[in-house]
Amino acid sequence: MCGIFGYVGNKNSVDIIFSGLKKLEYRGYDSSGIAVVIDKELQIRRSVGRLCNLKSNLLKSPMSANIGIGHTRWATHGKPSEKNAHPHMDPTKSIVIVHNGIVENYGKLRTELLKCEWEFKSETDTEIIAHLIRRCYKNNLFNAVQKALCKVKGSYALGVLCKYESDKIVCAKQDAPLIIGVGKGENFIASDVTALLPYTRDMIFLEDGDIAEVSAEKIVVKDIKDGIKNREIKNIQWNAAQAEKDGYKHFMLKEIFEQPRAIENTFRGRIYPETGRICIEEAKLKEEDIRSLSNIYIVACGTSYHAGLASKFLFENFTKIPTEVDIASEFRYRTPILNEKTLIIVISQSGETADTLAALKLAKSKSCQTLAVCNVVDSSISREAKYTVYTHCGPEIGVASTKAFTSQLAVLYLLAFDWAYKRGKLTKEKLKEYLKELWEIPLKISKFLKNTESLQTLAKEFMNKKDFLYLGRHVNYPVALEGALKLKEIAYMHAEGYAAGEMKHGPIALIDESIPILAIAVKSEVYKKIVSNIEEVKSRGGSVVVVASESDKEIVTKSDYTIYVPEVDEFISPLMTVIPLQLLAYYIAVFLGCDVDQPRNLAKSVTVE
């Protein structure tokens, strides 16, 4: 949820840490801070709000040191304020820490520490850890962190400095992402790959239970019981330019326009339309295992959940395997019927979503087969799952997910078609047809993206509405949910997505001239049904926007506004129909003056429950 960055080397750590936090601001932006060691004393600068406030603070009261840690916060314990901003110190001002996660036994530990008559300066659970480390400290910071964490229950990514050992950072990970960047004569820690790319591509991905000592020349990784861990240094192929705006006004707009390339990258080396071959080397399920699957559970959150809902239609229609889709936070707290013939597919852009990770661990405990669809290499979920299929869509910086959604769908199409063929439910000729459709999708999206002026005009028309209703049927019902979510996320406009057939069961009571309705009505098996729903809306005075196939010239008689998209097969249409919904939400948010890339109260990766 929050962003951590640390540096040790021979350069000014403050400048490097601030730049790193800028890359991580999408993870949280209600407060920020930096701590360094200068002449064996800890110095801290903290500010409420965006990083520009911290920058002003640093200009008024500059500091320079060769080692430091920084943090940008999304509040969990304690309201956004300077006293709750990280870094946090112990009462003796000897230890300072930054923390991402939640201390579940916070109340019990606080009660115990209050008996020591140590004063707490903040309302956060993080300060508890600083107190614990100081109480355990006996001239060895690494050992003190080990002992302190033995008492902590919960999740954490942790960076720790001590004024008595000013040449090292001690860091630790449990159920929250933390990466070590490996340099020459300098090393780094960060919550995300993108923050490290300007400095190094060589990285160590810490695993749960790891504690590391990081100095300028040396990195030692152990576990909480002092066992040495030989963590491999991975070379990351993303370049720094991929994480920049590249001339676009916002990351979100850049990422919308990157979707043709992102989908191509997801398909590259995996599909061969001419021969009808699909090759997904990471998904190494044996053919007999695929044929013997009794059911599939797809588990995810937010936008990834909508991708899962769309793929349910694919798996059931093509593979004939019963498929359920669950919100990860709900899946954990009911009693799903799972066994060794159940396949759990978890979907997460970051690979660090806390509820999804917990659901995956539950599935493993029930002997299920597990497969992750993920974008970030060596993320927690990708390491936990038996199989991981990466989307290869590159870093997604905008908090509201766009290219991750279409890339996740692209992977799910490949899995559904591949397994359908291997189960004898799809002929080679039909497989070739679908692969050809998929292969042409990036070109069709590019064609649509060449002219978006009509969407900007539409956005100006509807920007001052207070409510919006999205309707879809069959495979495009999840797209309606996703379109509504985008509008809620970035424009703060109340929007609901509905299965159009449910209109008469309640939502139709809302329809009047004040509520615009967006209906997805591309050519499909349920086309006449959705047109009938549109007529129901029109007869009650509703203003209707229709996303339609470009060959459908009759739909203009049913709608007030028509958004034409290139013709695609019904089952593949979500890859196409979601694009105008993303853009419409984006333009409305921009015209309203909203912070598109960093919407209020949201963070990119939800790494706490």
Side-chain angles (χ1 to χ4, degrees):
M1 230 23 132
C2 308
I4 290 172
F5 196 93
Y7 172 82
V8 55
N10 55 16
K11 301 183 180 75
N12 181 6
S13 65
V14 176
D15 293 340
I16 294 171
I17 292 167
F18 186 85
S19 295
L21 293 180
K22 284 293 290 181
K23 302 287 185 185
L24 295 170
E25 194 174 13
Y26 67 91
R27 296 181 65 92
Y29 34 85
D30 60 45
S31 60
S32 58
I34 293 175
V36 297
V37 186
I38 302 174
D39 296 329
K40 294 192 175 181
E41 293 296 331
L42 295 174
Q43 297 284 331
I44 296 180
R45 303 289 183 270
R46 300 186 297 188
S47 296
V48 178
R50 299 298 173 89
L51 273 167
C52 58
N53 297 337
L54 179 62
K55 183 71 171 178
S56 298
N57 193 349
L58 288 167
L59 289 173
K60 290 176 186 175
S61 181
M63 55 185 186
S64 178
N66 298 133
I67 187 170
I69 51 177
H71 189 271
T72 182
R73 182 174 186 248
W74 188 82
T76 50
H77 280 76
K79 64 184 180 182
S81 65
E82 186 170 338
K83 72 175 183 178
N84 289 332
H86 296 221
H88 287 285
M89 281 199 293
D90 77 287
T92 68
K93 298 184 179 181
S94 303
I95 304 289
V96 66
I97 74 168
V98 289
H99 168 231
N100 177 16
I102 290 179
V103 180
E104 293 176 3
N105 58 338
Y106 157 81
K108 180 184 176 182
L109 292 173
R110 185 181 176 93
T111 300
E112 291 177 3
L113 289 166
L114 284 171
K115 293 176 183 177
C116 303
E117 298 184 354
W118 278 7
E119 182 183 354
F120 286 89
K121 301 288 188 183
S122 75
E123 303 164 319
T124 70
D125 54 346
T126 295
E127 193 180 355
I128 295 285
I129 304 176
H131 282 239
L132 284 174
I133 294 171
R134 182 65 184 93
R135 287 193 67 197
C136 295
Y137 184 74
K138 291 182 172 58
N139 301 317
N140 188 312
L141 180 61
F142 190 93
N143 289 348
V145 173
Q146 279 181 313
K147 290 176 182 176
L149 291 180
C150 286
K151 300 179 180 181
V152 172
K153 293 181 180 178
S155 60
Y156 51 78
L158 203 64
V160 187
L161 291 181
C162 175
K163 71 177 186 179
Y164 303 117
E165 300 177 52
S166 58
D167 62 340
K168 67 187 69 165
I169 301 170
V170 173
C171 56
K173 176 198 181 312
Q174 181 65 46
D175 294 326
L178 195 63
I179 304 159
I180 298 173
V182 182
K184 294 181 179 178
E186 59 184 5
N187 288 305
F188 312 79
I189 65 169
S191 297
D192 202 327
V193 169
T194 54
L196 295 169
L197 287 174
Y199 309 105
T200 180
R201 292 189 188 180
D202 292 331
M203 302 180 195
I204 297 172
F205 293 82
L206 295 181
E207 299 187 11
D208 286 349
D210 284 354
I211 303 176
E213 186 175 277
V214 181
S215 63
E217 301 292 343
K218 190 177 180 182
I219 298 167
V220 178
V221 182
K222 297 182 180 181
D223 62 24
I224 207 160
K225 295 180 180 178
D226 220 31
I228 296 288
K229 297 294 180 180
N230 295 314
R231 298 291 179 228
E232 181 184 355
I233 297 175
K234 302 288 182 71
N235 183 265
I236 303 302
Q237 295 303 308
W238 294 353
N239 58 56
Q242 283 181 284
E244 299 297 337
K245 290 181 184 174
D246 202 23
Y248 289 90
K249 186 176 181 180
H250 296 99
F251 281 114
M252 183 180 178
L253 186 62
K254 173 178 180 265
E255 288 154 8
I256 289 171
F257 276 80
E258 282 179 338
Q259 285 176 109
R261 189 191 311 164
I263 295 170
E264 282 178 357
N265 289 342
T266 300
F267 286 157
R268 186 170 288 120
R270 289 172 170 165
I271 65 171
Y272 303 87
E274 302 83 4
T275 60
R277 180 168 167 255
I278 298 174
C279 179
I280 311 175
E281 292 185 357
E282 308 101 307
K284 297 177 181 177
L285 280 82
K286 298 176 182 177
E287 285 196 30
E288 56 265 33
D289 291 336
I290 294 169
R291 287 193 290 268
S292 66
L293 288 175
S294 62
N295 61 322
I296 295 173
Y297 276 102
I298 301 172
V299 184
C301 301
T303 287
S304 297
Y305 170 69
H306 296 156
L309 280 175
S311 69
K312 171 183 169 69
F313 292 90
L314 306 175
F315 286 109
E316 292 196 333
N317 185 79
F318 292 104
T319 70
K320 310 303 181 188
I321 303 172
T323 302
E324 296 296 329
V325 187
D326 258 300
I327 296 170
S329 56
E330 294 298 320
F331 181 82
R332 294 177 58 190
Y333 296 109
R334 61 184 185 82
T335 312
I337 309 303
L338 308 172
N339 56 52
E340 67 277 359
K341 290 188 177 181
T342 300
L343 173 66
I344 304 292
I345 300 176
V346 295
I347 311 171
S348 169
Q349 187 282 137
S350 66
E352 303 293 347
T353 311
D355 285 316
T356 307
L357 181 59
L360 174 58
K361 291 178 178 179
L362 171 63
K364 288 182 69 178
S365 74
K366 301 292 185 182
S367 302
C368 299
Q369 301 215 51
T370 58
L371 184 148
V373 177
C374 185
N375 186 39
V376 179
V377 176
D378 270 313
S379 58
S380 298
I381 285 173
S382 67
R383 291 197 301 270
E384 193 73 29
K386 185 173 183 180
Y387 309 107
T388 299
V389 183
Y390 291 110
T391 54
H392 299 313
C393 70
E396 187 178 67
I397 305 302
V399 167
S401 187
T402 52
K403 67 177 180 175
F405 175 79
T406 47
S407 296
Q408 287 166 354
L409 267 181
V411 166
L412 294 163
Y413 279 111
L414 297 189
L415 293 173
F417 291 147
D418 184 44
W419 295 349
Y421 177 69
K422 288 173 178 174
R423 286 170 62 88
K425 308 299 182 183
L426 191 65
T427 67
K428 177 68 81 170
E429 288 309 307
K430 287 299 293 182
L431 179 59
K432 287 182 180 179
E433 287 178 25
Y434 283 118
L435 292 184
K436 185 174 184 294
E437 284 269 1
L438 287 175
W439 192 252
E440 291 174 352
I441 273 287
L443 189 62
K444 290 180 178 179
I445 294 175
S446 294
K447 175 186 173 184
F448 177 81
L449 289 172
K450 286 179 180 176
N451 185 3
T452 63
E453 286 81 2
S454 61
L455 282 167
Q456 295 182 51
T457 302
L458 202 59
K460 288 178 181 176
E461 179 79 18
F462 291 115
M463 61 182 280
N464 293 316
K465 296 293 183 180
K466 293 184 178 179
D467 303 280
F468 219 117
L469 193 61
Y470 287 71
L471 301 178
R473 295 195 78 140
H474 196 246
V475 74
N476 276 298
Y477 160 52
V479 177
L481 295 176
E482 177 62 12
L485 177 62
K486 290 283 99 59
L487 199 60
K488 283 183 275 196
E489 284 180 314
I490 62 171
Y492 318 140
M493 183 183 289
H494 176 248
E496 295 296 334
Y498 267 94
E502 282 289 290
M503 282 292 293
K504 291 188 286 292
H505 298 277
I508 201 164
L510 296 171
I511 303 301
D512 61 26
E513 66 279 355
S514 69
I515 299 181
I517 285 83
L518 190 146
I520 304 166
V522 291
K523 291 294 180 68
S524 69
E525 183 182 336
V526 294
Y527 174 75
K528 290 182 180 178
K529 300 288 186 183
I530 190 77
V531 169
S532 175
N533 298 133
I534 291 169
E535 289 172 336
E536 290 170 355
V537 170
K538 286 292 291 177
S539 68
R540 287 159 177 82
S543 180
V544 182
V545 180
V546 178
V547 176
S549 302
E550 57 189 359
S551 64
D552 185 1
K553 304 308 176 187
E554 296 297 316
I555 198 68
V556 293
T557 65
K558 314 287 184 184
S559 63
D560 297 290
Y561 308 89
T562 305
I563 303 169
Y564 281 118
V565 295
E567 202 104 12
V568 292
D569 179 271
E570 172 186 6
F571 280 100
I572 293 170
S573 63
L575 286 169
M576 191 74 248
T577 56
V578 75
I579 308 298
L581 306 194
Q582 294 170 345
L583 281 167
L584 182 62
Y586 170 79
Y587 289 126
I588 288 175
V590 168
F591 293 144
L592 288 173
C594 300
D595 191 337
V596 171
D597 285 333
Q598 297 173 343
R600 67 188 184 203
N601 302 330
L602 297 178
K604 183 64 178 171
S605 302
V606 184
T607 57
V608 295
E609 185 179 357

